[in-house]
Amino acid sequence: MTTFASTIRAGVLGVALAGAAAAWPAYACGEERNEGSKQSAAAGALLGDRYHRQAQARAALAADLDKSEAERERLTRSVTQLDGTLAQAQTTHTQLEAQRTQLDETVQHTDELSFEVGFRTNDDSIPAARVPPLLKLGGLLASMPQARARIAGYADPRGSDAYNDELSLRRAQAVAAVLMSAGVPGERILIEAHGKTESTSAAGDLDAYALERRVTVRVELHGSGQVARRD
């Protein structure tokens, strides 16, 4: 091969190497740019996920705070209602205690307190208007362990002794039942049936008869007695 041919090959090789050298930096820069873009995308995704988690945490905290505030308000209302109920109960207790004290003082001074219930002819039903006072009396008696009730039944003079004895007993038992329903123990109630033995009405005096169809309740603090009826 001649010297001229060798010179041509050397020149061609030089041009090729020069071209490759010129192209390499551009390729290297492209790879660096791609790598940088991937890193930026990864960092952005990481920041976005962190922001999302923080947003969720803030939302959950806000919900918890709202729930806690609602619960606090509910508890406040409950406490207020409870205070009102306790105050009302205290007032009621104070009133009952005052009534009990008043009754106790009255009985202490008089040693006896009376209450009367009237009845219709040949009837042992307590009039509706007399039931509330009887219940009130029973409640006060129930709060006074040292007191007892003596209940005595009466009848007007019409009819036989046996019939009036039984009628007056039923009337007294009806009154005793109301007191017991108010809390008075049965052992603190004494029942007497007097029938028509204490009648003082003139024959045919209907107004006087009405006064004799009755049951009396006497509150006593001392003494003893037993359930009684005239045979």
Side-chain angles (χ1 to χ4, degrees), residues 77-93:
R77 289 194 300 269
S78 297
V79 171
T80 301
Q81 293 174 354
L82 179 60
D83 289 342
T85 301
L86 290 176
Q88 183 178 3
Q90 182 63 32
T91 300
T92 302
H93 174 75

Side-chain angles (χ1 to χ4, degrees), residues 193-214:
H194 295 276
K196 64 179 184 179
T197 58
E198 298 188 17
S199 173
T200 58
S201 301
D205 189 346
L206 299 182
D207 291 335
Y209 290 171
L211 298 177
E212 293 181 337
R213 298 190 300 270
R214 72 190 189 279

Side-chain angles (χ1 to χ4, degrees), residues 1-55:
M1 188 179 287
T2 64
T3 302
F4 176 76
S6 299
T7 301
I8 291 175
R9 285 197 298 270
V12 173
L13 180 59
V15 172
L17 291 174
W24 176 255
Y27 175 77
C29 291
E31 287 185 348
E32 291 177 357
R33 284 196 297 271
N34 290 336
E35 185 64 27
S37 298
K38 292 179 180 180
Q39 293 177 353
S40 297
L46 180 61
L47 290 175
D49 182 64
R50 182 178 299 174
Y51 176 80
H52 179 68
R53 289 198 300 270
Q54 290 177 348

Side-chain angles (χ1 to χ4, degrees), residues 59-122:
L61 179 59
D64 289 341
L65 290 176
D66 289 343
K67 183 178 180 180
S68 298
E69 182 65 19
E71 183 67 15
R72 185 189 67 80
E73 292 178 358
R74 187 188 68 79
L75 290 175
T76 299
R77 289 194 300 269
S78 297
V79 171
T80 301
Q81 293 174 354
L82 179 60
D83 289 342
T85 301
L86 290 176
Q88 183 178 3
Q90 182 63 32
T91 300
T92 302
H93 174 75
T94 301
Q95 292 173 345
L96 289 176
E97 185 64 22
Q99 292 173 349
R100 190 201 67 79
T101 301
Q102 183 179 6
L103 177 61
D104 194 16
E105 291 175 353
T106 300
V107 175
Q108 289 285 359
H109 284 91
T110 65
D111 198 37
E112 186 175 294
L113 183 66
S114 297
F115 184 85
E116 188 170 294
V117 180
F119 290 82
R120 293 184 295 273
T121 300
N122 194 30

Side-chain angles (χ1 to χ4, degrees), residues 96-167:
L96 289 176
E97 185 64 22
Q99 292 173 349
R100 190 201 67 79
T101 301
Q102 183 179 6
L103 177 61
D104 194 16
E105 291 175 353
T106 300
V107 175
Q108 289 285 359
H109 284 91
T110 65
D111 198 37
E112 186 175 294
L113 183 66
S114 297
F115 184 85
E116 188 170 294
V117 180
F119 290 82
R120 293 184 295 273
T121 300
N122 194 30
D123 192 7
D124 58 14
S125 300
I126 299 175
R130 303 302 284 165
V131 173
L134 270 176
L135 290 173
K136 184 177 180 181
L137 177 62
L140 292 174
L141 279 170
S143 68
M144 299 175 62
Q146 75 277 26
R148 69 180 184 182
R150 184 181 295 274
I151 303 175
Y154 301 88
D156 66 40
R158 294 172 294 180
S160 67
D161 287 346
Y163 178 81
N164 281 298
D165 286 348
E166 184 65 27
L167 179 60

